[in-house]
Amino acid sequence: MKGLTCVGSLLLKRSTLHILQRNMSLVRDKAFVNGEWVTSMKGKKFDVVNPSDGSVIGQVPDMDVEDTNAAIQSAHDAFKPWASTTAKERSNLLRRWFNLLEDNKEELARIVSIEAGKPFKESLGEVFYGNSFIEWFSEEARRITGEIAASPAKSKEMLFIRQPIGVAALITPWNFPHAMITRKAGAALAAGCTCVIKPAEDTPLTALALAQLAHDAGIPKGVLNVITSSRENAAPMGKLLCESPLVRGLSFTGSTGVGKLLYQQCATGIKRVSLELGGNAPFIVFKSADLDKAVAGAMASKFRNCGQTCVSANRFLIDESIFDDFVEKLKKTMMKELKQGKDENCNTGPLINISQLHRVDNIVQDAVKKGAKVLLGGGPAKDLGERWYQPTLITDVKPDMICYNEEIFGPVVACIKFKSEEEALKIANDTPVGLAGYFYSGDIAQCWRVGKALEVGMVGINEGMISCTEAAFGGVKESGIGREGSHHGIEEYTDVKYLCFGNL
């Protein structure tokens, strides 16, 4: 395993799960239900593919609604015993899980690299980030407190307590296969909930590795379950997780379209819902900004995971007086710093699958046909493989272009001129979604004005990297409901119960 610092190593070209298992102790080819490694009831499997070269790196169970029902029942049976544990007991178990995650961080990062296509250093960064949620919620488990309310009558006393909601269904995306699970499962388990985790079909191996370490930490059977499926079975399984009367909450990270569907399906049972959906993040550079810092922030925000993050900067709004200077600086920085390829020095990987590449290229070609100017890139990096796309910089972007209106989810920078703060805010807020937004300014009064005026759930002010465990992560408008991380994250998995005591 020596020398694996990018997705193009020799290991990634080996195509059987047997070889992976021989080199990595945490790779599993079965799902995890009720504390046991299981196949699908119908015996079906599906391929897990390495995005770097398209090779098959293994197979996992292709489960369906019957398997999902079994996992839900397992979590339901385990709920009352788990909920009756003390906060200290849950805290200790989560801490043991965190310690094991830390002990195995390099292997976890290798697994993320293989199935998600991230360069190893970036995968390792995700693992550090993801592990921190388990550490955080191991501590937050002991801080789930109630309150005493002032009674309006002498004959009674009033207090509020928090209790776990029950079984939580966690549906997670492929772009952060480690951190999106730990951010949800850490909070759910700390609150006293049990969970059924459905990872994305592109990245199931990371989820199964996390389950193995949770089991090794001593988390009881049935408390954490991982079910896997192909894209074909994902929709009916998701529907069951939403509609089963044994499931009391759903947390989903993914596209707005799918989130709306799951929201509708949860309505039949009035489920607790937490949704972290798509964004269309503006990145505004005002004329008072430090351009070097703005370019550095743009690089950090835009090119993490090859632009495939929900908080990735999407629309670059640049004051017309500094537009040319900013674009030139960004162009030079992109040419200097972005290393796309399969050697150990690369820092930009492939897109997750072919359909995503086609989508990104369609957005770029639409812009070109409508008059946009390509300064860098502009098409697939065919010499690297069928899922690689060149880091791209385009200008002369107009309102009728797809890139002006929709989330790109790829390594494409679309630059738009504006004349005033009011115009920048109008463009930034003219979208049905509102997850993250960024802006650079040297005017403190403007920082306050714009920070409050942006219609998003999270704002980076002179900062391109806003994600951390302590932050309340989530959006407004069609970007979602609820918050993850921070002390607010645990609230999604608890109910407030009011106790009224009559004086004895």
Side-chain angles (χ1 to χ4, degrees), residues 40 42 62-69 228-229 233 237:
S40 66
K42 290 185 173 62
D62 189 3
M63 302 177 113
D64 58 19
V65 292
E66 189 176 5
D67 300 285
T68 306
N69 257 324
T228 58
S229 83
N233 286 328
M237 290 171 69

Side-chain angles (χ1 to χ4, degrees), residues 377-390:
K382 296 180 180 179
D383 56 320
L384 294 173
E386 60 184 0
R387 304 180 187 216
W388 295 77
Y389 202 85
Q390 297 172 342

Side-chain angles (χ1 to χ4, degrees), residues 50-217:
N50 170 13
S52 177
D53 58 16
S55 64
V56 175
I57 56 175
Q59 292 185 324
V60 295
D62 189 3
M63 302 177 113
D64 58 19
V65 292
E66 189 176 5
D67 300 285
T68 306
N69 257 324
I72 292 171
Q73 187 64 53
S74 170
H76 176 70
D77 293 343
F79 171 64
K80 286 187 177 180
W82 179 248
S84 68
T85 58
T86 67
K88 188 175 189 303
E89 289 172 325
R90 296 194 298 274
S91 175
N92 288 341
L93 286 170
L94 286 169
R95 185 71 197 194
R96 287 180 205 164
W97 190 16
F98 166 72
N99 290 338
L100 288 174
L101 292 171
E102 284 290 286
D103 290 345
N104 292 274
K105 57 182 177 289
E106 290 195 4
E107 183 174 339
L108 288 168
R110 292 181 188 121
I111 295 172
V112 172
S113 287
I114 290 169
E115 65 175 356
K118 295 184 180 184
F120 178 73
K121 289 182 180 179
E122 187 170 339
S123 296
L124 192 59
E126 180 189 341
V127 170
F128 276 114
Y129 176 51
N131 290 356
S132 70
F133 286 108
I134 302 302
E135 179 184 34
W136 174 264
F137 286 115
S138 73
E139 298 163 349
E140 285 296 294
R142 302 184 69 179
R143 302 189 186 115
I144 303 174
T145 58
E147 58 183 294
I148 304 295
S151 174
K154 294 180 180 180
S155 61
K156 64 187 72 174
E157 298 294 340
M158 303 165 57
L159 59 95
F160 311 139
I161 63 172
R162 285 192 173 272
Q163 293 183 308
I165 61 173
V167 176
L170 314 179
I171 303 178
T172 59
W174 48 261
N175 58 341
F176 287 91
H178 180 290
M180 294 304 94
I181 288 176
T182 56
R183 191 162 73 183
K184 298 176 190 297
L189 269 57
C193 296
T194 57
C195 57
V196 177
I197 301 168
K198 168 63 179 72
E201 57 273 9
D202 295 294
T203 54
L205 298 180
T206 302
L208 298 173
L210 294 174
Q212 177 63 66
L213 293 175
H215 176 70
D216 293 344

